[in-house]
Amino acid sequence: MMIRLDKFLTETGSLTRSQAKEAAKKGRILVNGEAEKKTDRKIDPEKDEIVLDGKRISYAAYEYYMLNKPKGVVSATEDKKYPTVVQLIQDRKRTDLFPAGRLDIDTEGLLLITNDGELTHNLLSPKKHVDKVYLAEFEGVFPEDGKEQFQAGLILEDGVKTMPSHIIVNGNQARLTIKEGKFHQVKRMFQAVGCQVTYLKRLSMGSLTLDENLKPGEYRPLTNEEIESLKQQ
C-alpha cells in the first residue's frame, strides 16, 4: 500500500501537513536513510523506513485495543469536560482511533478501541445479532415473570420494544445478554420491570471477552486470533 509521506506523518500523529513540509525543508525527515524534501512523495509504510528527528516512526493501518473502561471516562474521541477512552490508549500509533460503541460514563467493562470502521459497523448492527453480555447490580424486586418479559422483549418508557434478551438473576445481581445497543438500554430495561441499576459492567461483545487481568483503565492490543474471530462475526 502506497501513501503520501505527509499523510503517513499525520496518521501516525507525528506532524501536521504544514509541520511536515517545514520539517522536510530542514532535512529532519529521512526515508530509507536519505533526507526527503518532498512530502507529497509516495512511500510504502510496510517496507520503507521513515525517521523523524532521529526516531523511527512505526505505522499500523489498523489498531485494535481491548480496554477495561473505568467509571468517569466518556466513550468519545474528545470531550471538553471529561477524559475520553481514546486518551487512555497512551501508546497508540494512530490518531484516528474511536470506541466501537458506547458505554455510559458510570459503566465499566469491555470496550473495543479501533479505527476499523467496517468491523465496528458489523459488531454494532442489530441485523448482525452480535451478543453483548453485561453484569448488572440492581435495587428493587425482580418480578417472578421477569425472565419471560426479557425474553419476549420489553416495552421501554418511550414505547420502543427491545429485541428478545436472556437474563440470569441471582439475588440483586444479573447477567444479561442483548443483541442491540439503544441509548441507556440496559438501565431502561430494568426500569421497565420496576428495578434500578446501581452498577453495570460489560463482560463481552461477540467473541471478544474482557481480559480478567485488566484492571479498570488498563488496556492491551488484541491478539491476531481475537481480531480474526471478530471479523468472522
Side-chain angles (χ1 to χ4, degrees), residues 100-227:
R102 301 176 64 87
L103 292 178
D104 295 342
I105 191 169
D106 60 347
T107 299
E108 299 180 359
L110 176 66
L111 194 60
L112 172 63
I113 309 295
T114 184
N115 63 320
D116 190 334
E118 181 178 358
L119 174 64
T120 298
H121 173 75
N122 289 336
L123 288 175
L124 300 180
S125 173
K127 295 180 181 179
K128 296 290 185 176
H129 295 174
V130 175
D131 286 346
K132 302 166 186 66
V133 182
Y134 293 83
L135 171 67
E137 295 179 1
F138 62 91
E139 294 177 343
V141 179
F142 195 77
E144 291 185 4
D145 65 342
K147 182 177 180 180
E148 288 73 22
Q149 291 188 51
F150 274 73
Q151 178 61 44
L154 294 164
I155 304 296
L156 304 182
E157 81 287 347
D158 58 359
V160 172
K161 184 176 182 178
T162 66
M163 295 175 63
S165 59
H166 179 71
I167 190 168
I168 300 174
V169 178
N170 183 13
N172 71 329
Q173 284 193 344
R175 185 183 180 95
L176 174 65
T177 303
I178 62 177
K179 298 181 182 295
E180 53 191 339
K182 294 181 172 63
F183 185 66
H184 296 321
Q185 179 171 339
V186 174
K187 296 174 182 176
R188 294 163 66 201
M189 291 174 76
F190 276 89
Q191 289 173 354
V193 294
C195 298
Q196 188 77 25
V197 171
T198 57
Y199 173 79
L200 188 61
K201 179 179 182 178
R202 183 155 66 190
L203 304 178
S204 66
M205 181 168 59
S207 61
L208 190 63
T209 299
L210 181 63
D211 189 331
E212 60 183 16
N213 294 316
L214 292 178
K215 299 176 182 178
E218 294 183 342
Y219 63 93
R220 67 164 174 79
L222 264 59
T223 65
N224 290 334
E225 290 78 12
E226 287 170 335
I227 296 171

Side-chain angles (χ1 to χ4, degrees), residues 66-131:
M66 174 192 297
L67 170 69
N68 186 353
K69 179 194 170 298
K71 293 181 180 179
V73 179
V74 295
S75 300
T77 56
E78 56 183 23
D79 191 271
K80 295 182 179 180
K81 187 175 182 180
Y82 298 101
T84 71
V85 292
V86 172
Q87 290 172 337
L88 295 178
I89 313 299
Q90 294 293 323
D91 53 356
R92 61 188 185 274
K93 297 182 178 66
R94 300 189 60 93
T95 59
D96 56 353
L97 299 184
F98 55 84
R102 301 176 64 87
L103 292 178
D104 295 342
I105 191 169
D106 60 347
T107 299
E108 299 180 359
L110 176 66
L111 194 60
L112 172 63
I113 309 295
T114 184
N115 63 320
D116 190 334
E118 181 178 358
L119 174 64
T120 298
H121 173 75
N122 289 336
L123 288 175
L124 300 180
S125 173
K127 295 180 181 179
K128 296 290 185 176
H129 295 174
V130 175
D131 286 346

Side-chain angles (χ1 to χ4, degrees), residues 19-35:
Q19 290 172 338
K21 189 172 291 186
E22 286 300 312
K25 290 180 181 178
K26 297 177 180 179
R28 295 165 51 198
I29 303 172
L30 304 182
V31 177
N32 299 326
E34 295 185 4

